[in-house]
Amino acid sequence: MGLKIISTGSYVPKKRVSNDDLSKLVDTNDEWITSRTGISYRHFASDQDTVELAFLASLKAIETIDKKKIGIIIAASITNPYHTPSIACLIQEKLGLPEDILAFDLNAACSGFVYSCHVAHSLLSSSKKPYALIVGAEKLSSIIDFTDRSTCILFGDGAGSAVVAYQKSPFYQITGSQGNLEALYAKEYLSMQGRAVFRFATHVIEKCIIDLLNVSQLDINDIDYFIIHQANKRIIAHVYKKLHIPADKFYTNLQEYGNTSGASIPLALDEMNQKKLLKKGMRLMMIGFGGGLTYGGNIVEW
């Protein structure tokens, strides 16, 4: 039995911040940012917290399904405004879902959505209800130092969600971690060693692709789209060039949203769904990597 994506949703704040806008805060410019990251814009939430972003994305994902069939909510985030309650519990209340539901948050940074799919697959195998709601949501602007030009240009706010079911459908997954307190972390603000993260990311993306193809006994040509965590265009380009995969198989929207951490993969997934790029039977490979350091990937059939 595998994991089937039933529906998707997303939400991004209205405030759109350009590279030129950031050049008024720190010593940078549009050409420098775009050439090195591929990012042109990002969205920042002014009067909304992560809970609200997660709720609005989730609301869209459940529009066409029976809410009573949801038995699990997993919220992937590192920017919950509360130590407790969890974002997932607050989503349950805001969506008006029944109380007999398992709701919790998962902190795996930018790998959060992929990790959550793994956990949902395991939990749904013994759940009395067929659906799980997974949401990745971040208000990274709340933990950005806007005097640090190495990080403030990269990140944005947003949320993406998916309702998944435990069904007879192909599903392959791997996850991993490399404990590291220096490369990418957040206490008061996000801090990142760019070169170390680049080396880590390019290595684990390649590893995930090769390992997933091996475990599934599929070929690169069998994968219709690769949905990689939207961190940096150079990271993604490095991988598809090295593995000789056509660039158009890698969906990207980081130019508009920047790095939204755990929200980036479900946000991209919903955008592809809205654009009607996804057809029944397509195989999607989703790969995340981020703070922890964490990484993971899965193959699902649309």
Side-chain angles (χ1 to χ4, degrees), residues 24-37:
K24 299 172 185 176
L25 301 176
V26 291
D27 182 17
T28 191
N29 58 69
D30 177 65
E31 191 280 330
W32 192 92
I33 298 172
T34 304
S35 64
R36 286 163 175 77
T37 70

Side-chain angles (χ1 to χ4, degrees), residues 258-279:
N259 182 341
T260 56
S261 188
S264 78
I265 291 177
L267 205 164
L269 190 65
D270 183 56
E271 193 170 82
M272 295 174 72
N273 192 15
Q274 291 181 40
K275 291 180 178 180
K276 302 187 183 304
L277 296 176
L278 303 176
K279 309 298 181 183

